């Protein structure tokens, strides 16, 4: 023991932290009391393990280490099987060679390859992961065990992590963290992976009693799914089959066998709260170049990793089934308009009531639906924290969705169309628009080229350049000049074919939203409608617009097409194979009859221009005097709801502050 420092559990700990848990004194009195020291050591080690500060414990334990079996494989995705372990890190490849290994120089292997955890943002060498498991440094917990009845296990505590670099200011003293030009080996901060609170690594800023404090989940507590909601369920069917003896050799079917096939390792038991709007995030990593993969990691850092899903790992259906009973649920679709349509179709199949509203983070090329709902034409590295605030505060609006029913013509198809599978559309529902002619031909060329060489279409700018080149080439070839001779359009009983043939349209669009073709407005401004009603995406009507080559060119500089009709039902007949597109998904359609009718209305989140949130850190102007009587745990348990005492309450019920 020195004057300013005390050695705790084999490490030098600064003095001033109050009562130290275990002090390795050199006096003969403490050496004789071995049993008491061992007991206190075990209690302190358990507290450190629950809080996430396992790195405060010694690497070389005086107790014999337990053999946990073979080394586990590194996980890169969230484990939803029955073998899931709470606190598993999500190791992703990283090129941040400047960051020092989390283990430090004493135990670091100093190998070249590095891995970074997406949930707690620690960086270690690949060879050091096994050593990290030995000191039992776990990631932040994402669920709770179903059989756990311990009150302390259901309370979400801070997950403290040492940081050698930290942005922002200390929560205690308000001073900024020291930033150095070169990567320092000194630990400058201690921060929580849940609420993102950070403190200086000093006695005056971070106290030992804060290790066991419950975590409030920070500024985004209203959108984070607490770990206490997600429960890992034990498979009771396996246990029952082991216990019961088989009395008959006859095979018989029962309801229990059907239930076993539907059994899932996880379930959700949410606690309703008017202040909570949990967000379920779906990310399409194939959209927006490499933006989808980066966003996936950022959302796992801010939120619970078990509420962030990669659509390339099986689609949205299973996640929606798991979260279908969560009240006030909101969905964030990170991708293009096709990704949004995919999620809306999955919601229709599940028949969720009420249907959760869907917000959009645009990662596609056109993003017309995102522009309509004020989410912008593309993701421009906006902070994820700000996006979640917009999703939480957004207004719920309705979006019309339209059915497409195709009837194949009984006449003999024209020559050369036998090889074309043109009697089926890529989608039978559209949210944005359905079109045929010039624009569909350009989209089809882009789609076929991307399927042949996907590595050449990894950015939004390259995609738009290819669109421009394909449009110019098709303009010179005039491939859609005879479109008006091979179609028949009837809207609400009104035949528009004579007008289409008179004006010789080369493109016909059935529009549901105001935006089209990467942000243009083909229906025109609100004051130019004259004989038609202003266009809306929730009025149950669809707009029919015709384009010539001149009006298509003028569309890019603020022009609009020829307004033909506003209707509720459309019958379209094609007499030759021609390119069509459904919400940007193109195909070649053989001669057939299409019926367009209203399907339903979906709930969408429209981005508010001004943010108004109840989460604030500024002091209130009005002073309130509150009388708080002292009580005991026994009397408190009789008056409060038992669910609150079990740690199921995800947000603070009352915040009391005092001066001084």
């Amino acid at each position: 023991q020195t004057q300013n420092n005390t050695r705790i559990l084999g490490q030098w700990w600064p003095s001033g932290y109050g009562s130290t848990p275990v002090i390795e004194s050199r006096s003969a009195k403490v050496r004789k009391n071995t049993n008491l020291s061992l007991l206190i050591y075990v209690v302190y080690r358990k507290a450190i393990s629950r809080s996430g500060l396992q790195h405060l414990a010694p690497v070389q334990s005086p107790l014999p280490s337990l053999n946990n079996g073979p080394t586990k494989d590194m996980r890169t995705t969230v484990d939803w099987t029955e073998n899931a372990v709470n606190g598993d890190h999500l190791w992703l490849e990283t090129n941040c060679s400047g960051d020092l290994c989390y283990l430090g120089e004493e135990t670091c292997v100093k190998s070249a390859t590095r891995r970074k955890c997406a949930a707690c943002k620690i960086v270690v060498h690949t060879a050091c992961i096994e050593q990290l498991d030995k000191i039992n440094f776990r990631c932040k917990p994402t669920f709770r065990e179903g059989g756990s009845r311990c009150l302390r296990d259901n309370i979400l505590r801070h997950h403290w992590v040492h940081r050698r670099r930290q942005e922002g200011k200390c929560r205690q003293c308000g001073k900024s963290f020291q930033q150095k030009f070169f990567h320092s080996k000194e630990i400058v901060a201690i921060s929580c992976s849940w609420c993102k609170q950070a403190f200086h690594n000093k006695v005056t800023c971070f106290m030992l009693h804060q290790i066991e404090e419950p975590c409030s989940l920070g500024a985004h507590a209203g959108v984070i799914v607490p770990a206490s909601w997600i429960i890992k369920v034990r498979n009771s069917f396996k246990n029952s089959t082991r216990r019961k003896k088989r009395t008959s050799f006859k095979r018989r079917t029962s309801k229990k066998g059907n239930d076993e096939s539907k059994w899932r390792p996880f379930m959700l038991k949410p606690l309703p709260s008017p202040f909570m709007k949990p967000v379920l995030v779906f990310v399409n990593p194939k959209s927006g170049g490499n933006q989808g993969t980066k966003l996936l990691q950022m959302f796992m850092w801010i939120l619970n990793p078990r509420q962030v899903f990669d659509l390339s790992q099986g689609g949205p259906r299973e996640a929606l089934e798991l979260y279908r009973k969560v009240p006030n649920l909101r969905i964030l679709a990170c991708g293009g308009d096709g990704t949004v349509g995919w999620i809306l179709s999955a919601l229709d199949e599940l028949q969720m009531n009420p249907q959760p509203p869907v917000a959009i983070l645009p990662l596609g090329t056109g993003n017309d639906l995102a522009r309509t709902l004020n989410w912008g034409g593309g993701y421009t590295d906006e902070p994820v924290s700000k996006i979640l605030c917009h999703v939480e505060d957004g207004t719920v609006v309705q979006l019309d969705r339209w059915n497409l029913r195709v009837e194949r013509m009984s006449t003999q198809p024209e020559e050369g169309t036998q090889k074309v599978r043109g009697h089926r559309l890529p989608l039978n529902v559209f949210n944005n628009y359905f079109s045929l002619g010039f624009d569909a031909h350009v989209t089809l060329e882009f789609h076929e080229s991307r399927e042949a060489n996907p590595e050449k279409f990894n950015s939004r700018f390259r995609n738009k350049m290819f669109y421009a080149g394909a449009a110019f080439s098709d303009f010179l070839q005039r491939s859609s000049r005879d479109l008006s001779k091979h179609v028949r359009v009837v809207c609400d009983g009104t035949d528009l074919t004579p007008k289409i043939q008179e004006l010789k349209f080369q493109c016909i669009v059935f529009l549901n939203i105001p935006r089209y073709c990467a942000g243009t407005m083909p229906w025109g401004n609100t004051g130019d409608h004259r004989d038609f009603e202003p266009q809306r995406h929730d009025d149950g009507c669809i707009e029919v617009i015709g384009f010539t080559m001149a009006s298509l060119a003028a569309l890019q500089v603020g022009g609009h097409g020829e307004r033909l009709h506003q209707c509720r039902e459309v019958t379209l007949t094609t007499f030759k194979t021609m390119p069509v597109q459904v919400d940007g998904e193109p195909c070649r359609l053989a001669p057939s009859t299409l019926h367009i009718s209203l399907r339903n209305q979906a709930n969408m989140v429209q981005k508010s221009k001004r943010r108004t949130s109840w989460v604030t850190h500024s002091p209130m102007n009005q002073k309130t005097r509150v009388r708080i009587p002292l009580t005991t745990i026994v009397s408190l348990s009789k008056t409060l709801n038992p669910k609150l005492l079990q740690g199921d309450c995800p947000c603070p019920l009352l915040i009391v502050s005092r001066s001084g």
Side-chain angles (χ1 to χ4, degrees):
Q1 183 175 356
T2 61
Q3 183 177 359
N4 298 323
N5 298 289
T6 305
R7 191 173 182 180
I8 302 176
L9 296 179
Q11 289 188 347
W12 288 106
W13 187 268
S15 62
Y17 277 111
S19 59
T20 52
V22 178
I23 301 179
E24 287 187 357
S25 175
R26 297 181 181 179
S27 61
K29 181 179 180 180
V30 178
R31 288 182 179 178
K32 294 180 181 179
N33 199 356
T34 309
N35 296 331
L36 180 59
S37 300
L38 184 61
L39 177 61
I40 299 177
Y41 170 81
V42 172
V43 173
Y44 179 72
R45 186 178 180 86
K46 288 182 178 180
I48 292 294
S49 178
R50 285 192 300 268
S51 65
L53 274 180
Q54 293 88 337
H55 46 276
L56 295 181
V59 178
Q60 297 179 354
S61 173
L63 297 177
S65 59
L66 298 177
N67 186 12
N68 295 328
T71 305
K72 298 180 297 182
D73 296 335
M74 290 185 299
R75 296 213 59 85
T76 58
T77 57
V78 179
D79 188 7
W80 288 98
T81 65
E82 58 182 339
N83 299 323
V85 178
N86 205 2
D88 268 354
H89 293 277
L90 300 176
W91 298 116
L92 304 175
E93 294 182 358
T94 180
N95 54 0
C96 51
S97 58
D99 291 346
L100 294 175
C101 181
Y102 190 75
L103 288 179
E105 288 190 340
E106 296 181 358
T107 55
C108 177
V109 183
K110 296 183 177 61
S111 115
T113 310
R114 294 172 184 261
R115 295 275 179 168
K116 185 175 184 178
C117 178
C120 63
K121 281 193 174 182
I122 65 170
V123 179
V124 295
H125 295 99
T126 305
C128 295
I129 295 179
E130 183 178 356
Q131 187 69 21
L132 195 69
D133 293 336
K134 289 182 179 179
I135 65 174
N136 196 27
F137 180 69
R138 313 297 298 168
C139 192
K140 59 184 181 182
T142 58
F143 65 91
R144 66 182 176 95
E145 298 291 341
S148 175
R149 296 183 179 180
C150 181
L151 180 64
R152 302 175 65 89
D153 294 341
N154 297 333
I155 298 177
L156 181 64
R157 291 181 173 82
H158 292 286
H159 181 260
W160 298 113
V161 181
H162 278 158
R163 307 288 182 188
R164 293 182 173 88
R165 286 190 301 174
Q166 180 68 39
E167 298 180 355
K169 297 182 180 180
C170 177
R171 184 64 182 267
Q172 180 67 24
C173 65
K175 297 181 180 180
S176 300
F177 295 97
Q178 185 179 5
Q179 302 293 338
K180 297 184 179 181
F181 294 100
F182 301 98
H183 299 283
S184 174
K185 301 177 183 178
E186 179 186 357
I187 297 175
V188 299
I190 300 176
S191 66
C192 175
S193 301
W194 280 116
C195 63
K196 309 302 182 287
Q197 292 184 15
F199 299 86
H200 281 111
N201 189 26
K202 298 179 181 178
V203 180
T204 55
C205 294
F206 186 81
M207 305 295 179
L208 272 180
H209 65 83
Q210 295 176 265
I211 296 177
E212 289 278 319
E213 286 183 353
C215 182
S216 64
L217 299 179
H220 296 294
V223 298
I224 296 177
V225 176
S228 59
W229 286 14
I230 306 174
I231 304 174
K232 183 181 177 183
V233 184
R234 296 180 180 179
N235 193 349
S236 59
F237 300 103
K238 292 184 179 180
N239 298 332
S240 61
T241 53
R242 291 176 183 176
R243 295 174 182 176
K244 294 181 180 180
K245 296 182 179 180
R246 189 171 180 179
T247 57
S248 175
F249 292 95
K250 295 182 180 180
R251 185 176 299 175
R252 56 183 180 180
T253 58
S254 62
K255 294 182 179 180
K256 188 173 293 185
N258 298 332
D259 293 340
E260 186 175 1
S261 61
K262 297 180 181 179
W263 175 81
R264 292 194 177 107
F266 287 88
M267 64 176 294
L268 260 79
K269 294 183 67 176
L271 183 65
S273 172
F275 299 109
M276 289 201 64
K277 298 176 183 177
V279 177
L280 190 61
V281 181
F282 292 102
V283 182
N284 188 355
K286 298 181 180 179
S287 300
N290 197 30
Q291 286 182 319
T293 305
K294 294 180 180 178
L295 282 170
L296 195 67
Q297 301 176 17
M298 287 190 285
F299 280 116
M300 286 185 175
W301 160 244
I302 298 291
L303 305 174
N304 189 334
R306 293 189 179 272
Q307 66 184 109
V308 184
F309 292 88
D310 186 353
L311 287 176
S312 63
Q313 302 294 328
R317 183 181 177 88
E318 292 187 2
L320 292 174
E321 287 182 347
L322 182 64
Y323 281 82
R324 66 183 307 164
K325 294 184 179 180
V326 176
N328 301 327
L329 180 67
R330 294 198 172 192
I331 297 173
L332 177 60
C334 305
D337 293 340
T339 304
V340 180
W342 187 10
I343 295 174
L344 292 179
S345 298
L347 290 173
D348 286 347
E349 294 176 1
L350 294 176
Q351 297 180 355
M352 297 180 65
N353 188 22
Q355 188 183 62
V358 180
I360 307 173
L361 181 58
L363 299 180
T365 304
N367 302 315
D368 293 304
L369 182 57
R371 297 173 193 267
T372 301
L373 299 176
N374 300 334
W375 292 103
Y379 176 64
T380 56
D381 295 333
E382 187 179 9
V384 172
S385 178
K386 191 175 181 180
I387 294 172
L388 291 174
C389 292
H390 290 314
V391 175
E392 183 181 5
D393 301 328
T395 307
V396 179
V397 297
Q398 303 297 314
L399 175 69
D400 297 333
R401 305 188 71 224
W402 298 84
N403 277 326
L404 280 172
R405 183 168 57 88
V406 181
E407 294 181 0
R408 192 174 184 182
M409 296 185 65
S410 58
T411 58
Q412 184 69 22
E414 59 186 30
E415 184 180 356
T417 60
Q418 287 82 357
K419 298 181 181 180
V420 180
R421 298 176 60 186
H423 61 282
R424 296 183 61 183
L425 294 173
L427 300 170
N428 57 3
V429 180
F430 73 92
N431 309 307
N432 299 358
Y433 47 78
F434 171 81
S435 66
L436 65 160
F438 176 80
D439 68 330
H441 191 271
V442 174
T443 306
L444 183 62
E445 289 184 358
F446 171 81
H447 179 75
E448 292 176 345
S449 301
R450 184 172 60 178
E451 290 292 325
N453 302 294
E455 68 278 357
K456 296 182 179 180
F457 301 86
N458 54 2
S459 70
R460 191 180 296 112
F461 178 75
R462 287 186 180 182
N463 295 349
K464 291 184 177 180
M465 291 300 296
F466 184 89
Y467 264 111
F472 183 74
S473 175
D474 200 41
F475 172 76
L476 297 178
Q477 297 177 4
R478 301 182 63 188
S479 58
S480 304
R481 61 182 180 273
D482 297 331
L483 174 68
S484 59
K485 300 179 181 179
H486 303 286
V487 296
R488 182 172 182 265
V489 181
V490 178
C491 299
D492 287 345
T494 303
D495 193 355
L496 304 179
T497 307
K499 189 173 184 179
I500 293 175
Q501 293 178 351
E502 177 186 355
L503 299 176
K504 297 181 179 179
F505 291 132
Q506 298 188 29
C507 175
I508 302 175
V509 180
F510 302 90
L511 194 63
N512 182 44
I513 60 177
R515 301 288 182 172
Y516 163 76
C517 193
T520 61
M521 302 183 68
W523 189 252
N525 298 323
T526 306
D528 299 339
H529 293 155
R530 297 179 184 178
D531 299 333
F532 298 97
E533 296 292 330
Q535 186 185 18
R536 294 175 57 88
H537 52 74
D538 57 353
D539 57 356
C541 292
I542 192 169
E543 285 73 27
V544 185
I545 310 170
F547 291 97
T548 61
M549 294 307 299
S551 58
L552 277 173
L555 188 62
Q556 302 298 327
V557 292
H560 59 83
E562 181 68 25
R563 306 180 188 95
L564 298 178
H565 209 281
Q566 280 182 316
C567 57
R568 299 183 181 277
E569 290 186 358
V570 178
T571 302
L572 170 66
T573 306
T574 60
F575 301 102
K576 64 174 290 188
T577 300
M578 59 180 60
V580 300
Q581 68 165 339
V582 186
D583 282 351
E585 298 293 332
C587 72
R588 287 184 174 87
L589 183 66
S592 56
T593 300
L594 286 85
H595 300 276
I596 303 176
S597 59
L598 183 64
R599 177 185 179 90
N600 56 17
Q601 286 187 327
N603 294 329
M604 306 296 294
V605 178
Q606 187 174 26
K607 181 180 177 181
S608 302
K609 294 184 179 180
R610 294 183 179 180
R611 180 177 182 267
T612 56
S613 178
W614 69 278
V615 179
T616 177
H617 296 286
S618 59
M620 297 182 180
N621 296 327
Q622 183 179 2
K623 295 183 179 180
T624 304
R625 189 181 297 270
V626 181
R627 182 182 296 274
I628 305 177
L630 296 178
T631 183
T632 61
I633 295 295
V634 178
S635 60
L636 185 66
S637 61
K638 296 179 180 180
T639 56
L640 289 182
N641 191 338
K643 292 184 177 180
L644 301 181
L645 294 177
Q646 293 176 2
D648 293 333
C649 185
C651 60
L653 300 178
L654 180 65
I655 301 176
V656 180
S657 61
R658 64 180 180 88
S659 59

